[in-house]
Amino acid sequence: MSVDWSQSRVFSALGSLGERRQADAVIESTDYAPPSPPEDSDADEFLDYFQQLAEETRHSQRDALMVQGVQAGMTLQVVGDLFGVSRERVRQIVAAAGVNTRELRSQQKEQADRRRRRVARHVYGVSLTHPELTIEELAEWADTDEATVRQALEHRVAVHEVPYNDWSGGASDDELLDGLRRWAAQETGKYTGDAYSEWATSNGLPGKQIPTMRFGGWNNALRRAGLHDLVRDSGGLRPTISDEALWAGVLQFFRDDVESYSYDGYDEWRRDRALASGATLRARLGSWSDIKARVRQLMRYAAAPDDSWGWAESVLAVNPEEEPRNIVSKDECNAALAEVAERTRGPLTVQLYEASRSPEQPNAGLVQRRSESWIRALHEAGLESRMSVRARNKWAALNAP
């Protein structure tokens, strides 16, 4: 992965000199010592680490830090800019430390391979624990890019990736987005999906459903069209349902006498019972064929339960229609982020949040869903200063004019 380590990018990531000195004062006042970066860290990870160091530490460990920066993939010039010395001086210090710059490229390649394996193990583990996450959400959990996540998931990509459907409606992406912009420019007050559908029909375009399906949601369509000011806050209360309750609902469906045990049959059956939709089951539990196979195992066990299968016992103990729903608001998610931020140091990544939150606080997946992404959640919680270097760059790119 190529990294843009221009001087302006480094200084932008580090912030103003005043902000750095203020951060140093906080760190020094608490005797905070940030954890050392992994031996296979890349340039972004090294800079995250460097930002947390007190000014005194940067001076006292200057030579060692220069060597670490170069080994992490930063150029001699960029390392020199960080410490206010010349490129040649950095080369001399690195050479005196025994680093052979001719062999450095092959060493960095081996280091990058180790890092990819480390990230891949982490991504795969999160995938097994949280199959409900999207590819983009998994990338935020690992603080990496989506291409790396797809490579790490291998066959499990299908669990997390929503397949693209050609919801054409007779219009291309550009035509739909242009239509949204023209509607917004002509509309004088009622910026709703129904208002758009009415306008679109009279202008030879498909209604709200097509851009909603094409771009993964009405708000996403508005954002793609650059209409950020029309995006409504998605911070209202939403229920989260345990996996056990989802399985209990499917089990009840297969136990009932219904006309069809298909995916559509379940979606029709569950409406009168206020149970999770078929789309939720697919997103959380897997494909319909896999769900049916698991439920058959459940039904066989339920015929003669013997306490040997703990997961099945937990599902059988649930009455899905009486299962309490855990209601968590966006404000509660923001408060949890702020509380964890107060107790921790360094970039507030998904990994750090999960490792530091209390059991009563919402998990990172729910925080992501409440704000639509981890970096947006940090922004809404007023924690942009706690974003990692990658997150800051991504946030800046998303909000570029």
Side-chain angles (χ1 to χ4, degrees), residues 71-92:
Q71 289 176 328
M74 300 175 77
T75 66
L76 298 176
Q77 184 63 57
V78 168
V79 172
D81 290 339
L82 281 178
F83 292 92
V85 299
S86 68
R87 177 183 183 278
E88 175 60 20
R89 181 59 184 142
V90 176
R91 188 196 65 76
Q92 292 171 354

Side-chain angles (χ1 to χ4, degrees), residues 371-401:
S371 294
E372 299 182 358
S373 75
W374 184 254
I375 58 175
R376 188 176 295 278
L378 292 177
H379 166 72
E380 291 173 348
L383 296 170
E384 287 188 44
S385 63
R386 296 294 299 276
M387 290 181 182
S388 69
V389 171
R390 286 191 183 89
R392 289 187 201 179
N393 294 333
K394 184 175 181 180
W395 180 249
L398 288 173
N399 292 277

